[in-house]
C-alpha cells in the first residue's frame, strides 16, 4: 500500500508526519489490514507556505543575519479536522479502487475477475446504515 497525502494547509513537517500516520485509520475502516511483509509507505506533504524561504547567502560565524523568514502553520490544537479528512479520504480511495476495476488476464492466462460494482456499493451502503 502506498498513500500520498497532499494539502495546501500550512503545516510543519511534524504535522505532515502526523497526517501520514492517520492513513492507517482510513484503511482499517475499510477492513484492510497490514501485515509484517506488506511494505506500506505513507507520505504527507504541505504546499501551504509558498515563498516562505528566501534565498540568501550563507551567514558566516559571528555575523548577524540580515532578516528572518516567516513560516505560518496550523496550531496543533486545530489538527483534528485534518486528521478526520485524511481518514475519510483514505477510506474513499479504497472504496473507489474496489469499484474502479476490470477483469484482468495476466501471465499464463491467469484471470482475476473484477469485483461486482453493484454488490460492493450495496455492501458499503449497508455498512453505513448499520454504523
Amino acid at each position: 500500500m502506498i498513500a500520498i497525502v497532499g494539502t495546501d494547509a500550512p503545516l510543519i513537517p511534524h504535522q505532515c508526519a502526523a497526517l501520514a500516520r492517520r492513513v492507517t485509520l482510513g484503511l482499517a475502516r475499510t477492513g484492510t489490514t497490514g501485515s509484517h511483509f506488506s511494505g506500506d509507505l505513507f507520505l504527507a506533504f504541505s504546499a501551504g507556505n509558498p515563498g516562505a524561504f528566501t534565498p540568501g547567502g550563507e551567514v558566516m560565524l559571528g555575523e548577524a543575519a540580515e532578516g528572518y523568514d516567516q513560516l505560518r502553520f496550523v496550531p496543533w490544537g486545530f489538527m483534528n479536522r485534518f486528521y478526520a479528512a485524511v481518514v475519510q479520504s483514505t477510506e474513499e480511495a479504497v472504496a473507489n479502487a474496489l469499484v474502479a476495476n476490470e477483469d484482468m488476464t495476466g501471465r499464463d492466462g491467469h484471470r482475476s475477475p473484477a469485483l461486482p460494482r453493484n454488490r460492493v456499493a450495496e455492501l458499503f451502503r449497508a455498512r453505513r446504515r448499520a454504523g
Side-chain angles (χ1 to χ4, degrees), residues 74-94:
V74 174
W76 281 99
F78 293 100
M79 288 296 294
N80 286 345
R81 60 184 171 184
F82 296 99
Y83 298 152
V86 169
V87 172
Q88 292 168 3
S89 61
T90 301
E91 181 181 20
E92 184 168 341
V94 171

Side-chain angles (χ1 to χ4, degrees), residues 46-62:
S46 168
N49 277 300
F53 299 100
T54 56
E58 290 188 26
V59 176
M60 302 299 258
L61 249 116

Side-chain angles (χ1 to χ4, degrees), residues 11-91:
L11 303 178
I12 57 177
H14 285 84
Q15 291 172 319
C16 289
L19 286 185
R21 287 192 300 270
R22 289 342 190 258
V23 169
T24 56
L25 297 173
L27 293 173
R29 287 173 65 167
T30 66
T32 305
T33 61
S35 71
H36 180 70
F37 298 104
S38 62
D40 298 336
L41 177 64
F42 309 133
L43 171 75
F45 68 92
S46 168
N49 277 300
F53 299 100
T54 56
E58 290 188 26
V59 176
M60 302 299 258
L61 249 116
E63 291 181 13
E66 292 183 19
Y68 296 97
D69 285 332
Q70 290 190 352
L71 184 65
R72 296 182 52 158
F73 64 96
V74 174
W76 281 99
F78 293 100
M79 288 296 294
N80 286 345
R81 60 184 171 184
F82 296 99
Y83 298 152
V86 169
V87 172
Q88 292 168 3
S89 61
T90 301
E91 181 181 20

